[in-house]
Amino acid sequence: MNRGAFCAAFVAALIGVSTMAAAEVPVPQNFGQAMNWYERAAEAGNVEAQFYLGVMYETGVRGNNDMAAAAKWYRRAAEQGHVEAQTRLGVLYYQGRGVAADLAEAARWYAKAAEGGSPRAQYNLALMYERGQGVPANAAMAASLYERASDGGTVQARLNLGSLYARGDGVKRDSQRALMWLTMAAASGLKVSDAVRQELLDDLTPEQEAEAKRLADERLAKSVDWRKPNS
């Protein structure tokens, strides 16, 4: 099956056309025609079509992006529970692209996506709780979300969570646990302050340092590795 025929069959599936009737769907000759078919599927309520149409408008596959249209279709998909659409809509509200900037609305969509399991949304929402942006400052909530994002492979969350444990911000100060998270961050390719690391080591015995390293290795083995494709 050539690319055009495959696209026609795929769009037909999106809009609920049977396999035999898919042959009646015209083969799109360009992105404009493809988007027209996506729009038909999206208008019919297909959540994946709504999401991908949002992506096409955001990335500007026809030469110019249209952030207002992207926000419209992300919203339609997000309202149907599409986690990635919820995350992207949160980003648009946070940045004020295609919609008026609204940190509270960004946090609301991040929260939905975070509950749905998006590590990106969990990390973004954690930042907002740590900074008190759009939500009341809550370092404990930030720590919880950073941990979830870390287990999902968001490596920056490991550095931020290690810093919270080093400071005792939102969590009980724990040098061993801070070293564990910072060791994970370093293993993931992030730069960890030598001064902070040394300050933690000064608080720990060699046995505690070794245990922090063991815990880091154990946790890394169980978490998603951002450097490898998800299984």
Side-chain angles (χ1 to χ4, degrees):
M1 180 183 294
N2 62 38
R3 182 178 298 178
F6 174 80
C7 186
F10 178 66
V11 172
L14 284 177
I15 60 178
V17 176
S18 68
T19 302
M20 292 185 63
E24 301 175 7
V25 177
V27 175
Q29 301 300 315
N30 51 53
F31 277 120
Q33 287 186 10
M35 287 189 74
N36 289 339
W37 282 105
Y38 269 111
E39 286 174 348
R40 285 187 58 180
E43 290 288 2
N46 185 283
V47 67
E48 289 298 329
Q50 291 166 350
F51 170 69
Y52 284 114
L53 193 56
V55 172
M56 293 171 82
Y57 275 116
E58 181 177 6
T59 56
V61 294
R62 287 194 290 184
N64 295 305
N65 58 11
D66 184 336
M67 299 309 301
K72 168 190 169 180
W73 290 113
Y74 284 151
R75 182 187 305 281
R76 292 277 293 273
E79 288 170 346
Q80 292 199 69
H82 195 288
V83 172
E84 180 60 19
Q86 291 169 343
T87 303
R88 290 188 181 223
L89 186 57
V91 171
L92 295 188
Y93 272 110
Y94 187 88
Q95 298 176 343
R97 299 170 62 223
V99 292
D102 187 330
L103 295 181
E105 191 69 359
R108 185 172 79 86
W109 286 111
Y110 284 153
K112 289 179 181 292
E115 187 63 27
S118 166
R120 182 186 182 192
Q122 290 160 357
Y123 174 75
N124 289 351
L125 186 58
L127 281 176
M128 295 185 79
Y129 272 113
E130 185 175 3
R131 298 168 178 172
Q133 293 180 317
V135 290
N138 187 330
M141 181 66 76
S144 175
L145 286 162
Y146 280 142
E147 185 164 356
R148 292 170 63 190
S150 169
D151 288 340
T154 305
V155 299
Q156 185 66 39
R158 297 165 185 169
L159 184 64
N160 292 15
L161 186 53
S163 297
L164 291 183
Y165 273 105
R167 301 195 306 267
D169 189 6
V171 291
K172 182 178 179 181
R173 188 178 186 282
D174 187 326
S175 295
Q176 185 179 63
R177 202 156 188 82
L179 183 61
M180 179 195 79
W181 286 111
L182 295 181
T183 298
M184 290 174 64
S188 302
L190 297 183
K191 173 65 177 176
V192 175
S193 166
D194 291 335
V196 171
R197 179 178 172 79
Q198 188 57 54
E199 184 178 341
L200 296 174
L201 291 174
D202 289 344
D203 285 345
L204 301 174
T205 65
E207 292 76 18
Q208 289 172 322
E209 177 186 353
E211 178 65 4
K213 177 65 166 58
R214 186 192 70 78
L215 290 171
D217 290 342
E218 182 180 88
R219 187 125 192 177
L220 279 170
K222 294 178 180 178
S223 66
V224 173
D225 189 336
W226 69 281
R227 293 163 297 185
K228 300 176 183 177
N230 291 342
S231 58

